[in-house]
């Protein structure tokens, strides 16, 4: 027993940078972004190493290279270690010197990252010079335990009526956005970032958009959109494009979580968007197969569930003792032909606190956002809504789900009774009211007022086709004529008796002028 304890102590001591960093190894074989290294007998899992083309300089001198090539230890084998190359793998060759850095893979974090575009190592890729971030934190860490967490009961408004009314998201929640390619998943996430501008500055979360395996042109468009809207003032974009090594795409979400946790631990709120985890899973499968790990279902490695669970568990609402900060996660998953029963979608659905399911059929019919309210759910529910939104949105989800069922049934018959026709018309009107253009998120008080008008019959005098246009006119009218009501709802976060009376008067006047 003593010899085992001594051996463990010796291994721990060897990880101290002053000692571990002196150890060097030699690349035995390299290819496909993976290097097999001899000589690093004391290396530990997830440790960083440095590939050095010269043999006659110190580690400090090697680190001063303009473009150092790092590696990440991922396999500890009997007589060697296997390392994923973080950088240009073509520059790594057999016989190259490898130096241990004596630290786990870390990323620089800090307020200076806000407004910047960085890669998974925290290095700037926006051409604006160094970020100036000095504090380094490991990108992988254990999630906070149950005792350190608080209830999720503060809303994170997305500015999208259909979501904030029916599938509310709370600060500290993990809400999956899932759907086929081209159904508007990224749009919802970007609108959520844009809408934070409508929040009071002291309550505005820091947003981190993690682009995994996306085209660089798409990420550039998103950055330009955020800059134009003034949203980059509270946003960090972390990109691992399709052209980057698989290791970068695998690490990007963890780096995004580490940056978000930095703000959470300061008592602030943070929102991190992983776009998308399907591509991260593919990158991890590629890495695992190249590392000779045994393949499992659909050739994914056995720990693919653990990969996503340890990432998403890091989203939390901390207790007041821990500072009261929060990290909200919006992971995105791409399905094939709407198949939510595939391996990766089912994994992530079981980890998250609900899902927003976007349907191709609804998208093709012109419904924006194309949310299927039947299977979309928030497991936090009305706990993450203001009193105003809770009051107005009560039965919308059930009524819309019933309308969709009736609409499907209507295809097989034209003989409908009067009540059914009324229900279908009401459903169509509500569907039109909930439609929203890209890049136009609404403050929650405006959403509450519009939904109040719709549920109290103020749109009943219009055809379903007119409802969307009338809703837009109503918004313009309220901004001009009923600013006091909007301000009251915004400040008190509820519709008081006085506000309700004033609102009803304004709505009646609007209807009289419009009809």
């Amino acid at each position: 027993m003593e010899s085992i304890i001594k051996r463990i102590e010796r291994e721990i001591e060897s990880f101290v940078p002053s000692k571990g960093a002196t150890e060097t190894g030699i690349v035995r074989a390299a290819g496909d972004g993976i290097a097999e290294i001899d000589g690093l007998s004391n290396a530990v899992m997830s440790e960083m190493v440095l590939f050095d083309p010269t043999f006659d300089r110190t580690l400090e001198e090697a680190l001063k290279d303009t473009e150092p090539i790092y590696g990440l230890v991922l396999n500890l084998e009997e007589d060697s270690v296997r390392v994923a190359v973080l950088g240009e793998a073509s520059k790594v060759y057999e016989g190259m010197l490898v130096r241990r850095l004596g630290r786990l893979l870390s990323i620089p974090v800090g307020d200076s990252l806000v407004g910047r575009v960085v890669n998974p190592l925290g290095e700037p890729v926006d051409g604006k010079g160094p970020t100036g971030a000095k504090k380094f934190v490991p990108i992988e860490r254990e999630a906070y335990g149950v005792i350190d967490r608080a209830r999720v009961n503060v809303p994170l408004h997305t500015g999208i009526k259909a979501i904030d009314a029916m599938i509310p998201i709370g600060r500290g929640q993990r809400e999956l956005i899932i759907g086929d390619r081209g159904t508007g998943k990224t749009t919802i996430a970007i609108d959520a970032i844009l809408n934070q501008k409508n929040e009071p500055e002291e309550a505005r979360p820091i947003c981190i958009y993690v682009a995994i395996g996306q085209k660089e042109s798409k990420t550039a468009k998103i950055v330009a959109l955020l800059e134009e809207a003034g949203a980059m003032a509270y946003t960090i974009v972390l990109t691992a494009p399709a052209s980057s090594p698989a290791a970068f795409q695998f690490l990007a979400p963890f780096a995004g979580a580490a940056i978000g946790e930095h703000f959470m631990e300061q008592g602030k709120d943070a929102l991190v968007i992983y776009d998308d985890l399907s591509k991260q899973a593919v990158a991890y499968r590629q890495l695992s197969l190249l590392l000779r790990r045994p393949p499992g279902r659909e050739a994914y490695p056995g720990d693919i569930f653990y990969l996503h669970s340890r990432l998403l568990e890091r989203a939390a609402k901390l207790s007041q003792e821990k500072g009261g900060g929060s990290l909200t996660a919006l992971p995105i998953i791409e399905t094939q032909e709407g198949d939510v029963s595939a391996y990766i979608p089912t994994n992530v659905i079981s980890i998250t606190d609900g899902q927003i399911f976007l349907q191709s059929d609804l998208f093709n019919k012109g419904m924006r956002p194309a949310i299927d309210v039947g299977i979309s759910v928030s497991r936090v529910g009305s706990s993450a809504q203001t009193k105003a939104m809770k009051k107005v949105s009560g039965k919308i989800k059930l009524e819309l789900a019933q309308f969709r069922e009736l609409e499907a049934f209507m295809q097989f018959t034209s003989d409908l009774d009067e009540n059914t026709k009324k229900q279908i018309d009401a459903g169509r009107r509500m569907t039109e009211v909930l439609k929203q253009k890209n890049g136009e998120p609404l403050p929650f008080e405006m959403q509450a007022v519009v939904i109040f008008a719709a549920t109290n019959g103020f749109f009943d005098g219009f055809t379903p086709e007119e409802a969307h246009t009338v809703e837009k006119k109503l918004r313009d009218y309220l901004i001009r004529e009923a600013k006091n009501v909007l301000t009251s709802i915004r400040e008190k976060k509820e519709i008081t008796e006085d506000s309700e009376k004033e609102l009803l008067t304004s709505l009646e006047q609007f209807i009289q002028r419009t009809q």
Side-chain angles (χ1 to χ4, degrees):
M1 181 62 77
E2 284 181 8
S3 62
I4 293 172
I5 291 169
K6 281 179 183 174
R7 184 161 60 81
I8 291 169
E9 284 174 350
R10 191 171 67 251
E11 285 177 6
I12 291 170
E13 281 172 14
S14 73
F15 190 58
V16 177
S18 59
K19 293 182 182 179
T22 59
E23 191 175 53
T24 56
I26 296 289
V27 176
R28 182 202 288 177
D32 297 315
I34 302 294
E36 193 175 345
I37 299 166
D38 282 342
L40 300 184
S41 55
N42 292 316
V44 299
M45 193 69 171
S46 294
E47 184 183 354
M48 283 183 82
V49 296
L50 178 71
F51 293 95
D52 189 359
T54 58
F55 282 71
D56 56 352
R57 58 179 177 174
T58 63
L59 176 62
E60 288 71 25
E61 289 170 337
L63 286 168
K64 287 176 185 173
D65 277 355
T66 51
E67 291 183 9
I69 303 172
Y70 294 108
L72 175 67
V73 176
L74 287 176
N75 268 28
L76 303 175
E77 296 172 1
E78 202 170 336
D79 55 353
S80 64
V81 296
R82 286 182 193 266
V83 168
V85 181
L86 304 175
E88 206 171 324
S90 60
K91 291 183 180 177
V92 176
Y93 51 86
E94 196 176 322
M96 194 176 190
L97 188 73
V98 184
R99 301 174 184 273
R100 279 186 67 197
L101 295 184
R103 61 183 169 93
L104 300 180
L105 181 60
S106 302
I107 182 172
V109 296
D111 293 353
S112 59
L113 285 177
V114 178
R116 301 301 303 271
V117 184
V118 297
N119 69 14
L121 298 180
E123 298 165 344
V125 292
D126 53 7
K128 295 179 182 176
T131 60
K134 302 292 182 192
K135 182 184 174 185
F136 278 78
V137 297
I139 69 167
E140 287 239 39
R141 56 166 283 180
E142 199 174 334
Y144 280 94
V146 174
I147 303 302
D148 297 326
R149 297 179 184 234
R151 284 183 63 214
V152 174
N153 54 14
V154 179
L156 183 122
H157 294 120
T158 62
I160 298 166
K161 288 171 284 187
I163 293 175
D164 291 344
M166 297 185 287
I167 317 150
I169 298 169
R171 298 190 182 206
Q173 191 176 340
R174 302 155 299 179
E175 182 77 11
L176 173 64
I177 302 171
I178 183 169
D180 283 4
R181 186 182 183 132
T183 48
K185 303 185 296 297
T186 301
T187 301
I188 285 178
I190 296 303
D191 279 357
I193 293 176
L194 295 174
N195 185 61
Q196 302 318 309
K197 210 172 178 190
N198 294 323
E199 296 292 309
E201 198 168 335
E202 65 279 1
R204 188 178 295 158
I206 298 295
C207 302
I208 301 129
Y209 175 73
V210 184
I212 310 153
Q214 306 290 344
K215 287 188 285 190
E216 290 181 73
S217 58
K218 180 185 174 182
T219 307
K221 278 180 190 170
I222 288 169
V223 172
L225 173 66
L226 294 172
E227 279 178 344
E228 191 181 333
M232 279 304 281
Y234 53 84
T235 304
I236 300 163
V237 175
L238 195 150
T239 178
S243 58
S244 64
F248 271 27
Q249 295 177 46
F250 151 61
L251 292 170
F254 293 103
I259 294 170
E261 280 175 332
H262 165 75
F263 294 104
M264 175 175 72
E265 287 167 352
Q266 290 182 335
K268 298 177 183 175
D269 294 314
L271 165 66
V272 61
I273 291 152
Y274 305 117
D275 189 7
D276 64 62
L277 292 187
S278 308
K279 292 186 177 70
Q280 189 215 13
V282 168
Y284 187 57
R285 173 171 64 185
Q286 180 183 329
L287 270 180
S288 297
L289 293 172
L290 290 169
L291 288 164
R292 308 287 175 84
R293 293 178 182 177
R297 178 177 164 186
E298 293 179 29
Y300 287 106
D303 64 341
I304 192 76
F305 182 92
Y306 179 54
L307 173 80
H308 288 148
S309 64
R310 73 179 190 263
L311 169 69
L312 294 169
E313 280 297 327
R314 289 164 73 173
K317 173 85 167 72
L318 294 185
S319 62
Q320 287 305 313
E321 292 76 20
K322 288 284 179 180
S326 72
L327 177 62
T328 310
L330 294 182
I332 294 174
I333 286 287
E334 186 179 299
T335 53
Q336 307 291 327
E337 292 293 319
D339 183 14
V340 291
S341 64
Y343 189 29
I344 301 302
T346 47
N347 277 354
V348 183
I349 285 170
S350 65
I351 296 163
T352 48
D353 307 310
Q355 70 276 347
I356 297 165
F357 182 59
L358 303 177
Q359 206 177 45
S360 301
D361 291 350
L362 292 174
F363 188 87
N364 294 334
K365 283 179 189 172
M367 183 66 194
R368 305 284 194 280
I371 297 171
D372 185 333
V373 294
I375 64 170
S376 297
V377 65
S378 168
R379 296 190 184 103
V380 173
S382 59
S383 300
Q385 281 180 315
T386 57
K387 286 182 181 177
M389 191 60 84
K390 211 181 289 188
K391 181 175 182 175
V392 301
S393 64
K395 296 178 181 175
I396 296 180
K397 191 173 180 187
L398 180 62
E399 286 172 2
L400 270 182
Q402 288 173 340
F403 158 66
R404 293 266 159 82
E405 291 294 323
L406 277 173
E407 196 179 31
F409 172 71
M410 205 176 71
Q411 294 172 14
F412 305 104
T413 178
S414 56
D415 185 23
L416 297 173
D417 62 84
E418 201 59 38
N419 283 341
T420 307
K421 280 180 185 173
K422 278 184 183 175
Q423 198 173 347
I424 285 171
D425 277 351
R428 280 183 178 156
R429 266 193 297 272
M430 183 57 77
T431 299
E432 289 297 320
V433 167
L434 291 176
K435 279 186 181 179
Q436 213 162 322
K437 282 187 178 177
N438 297 354
E440 289 185 11
L442 297 177
F444 89 90
E445 67 272 16
M446 182 62 82
Q447 296 180 50
V449 169
V450 166
I451 293 166
F452 178 87
T455 52
N456 283 282
F458 285 96
F459 291 99
D460 290 359
F462 304 97
T463 64
E465 291 75 23
E466 293 172 322
H468 183 62
T469 310
V470 174
E471 181 260 341
K472 191 174 184 318
K473 286 179 182 174
L474 172 63
R475 283 192 276 126
D476 295 338
Y477 175 81
L478 290 169
I479 291 167
R480 283 195 320 270
E481 307 288 339
K483 264 193 175 175
N484 293 344
V485 181
L486 295 172
T487 306
S488 170
I489 296 171
R490 183 181 184 81
E491 289 173 355
K492 295 176 182 174
K493 293 187 170 40
E494 63 177 309
I495 301 173
T496 60
E497 277 186 38
D498 293 341
S499 295
E500 190 169 345
K501 284 177 188 172
E502 206 176 325
L503 180 57
L504 286 167
T505 306
S506 297
L507 289 171
E508 282 162 7
Q509 287 172 355
F510 169 75
I511 295 299
Q512 285 168 9
R513 291 185 192 184
T514 310
Q515 280 182 332

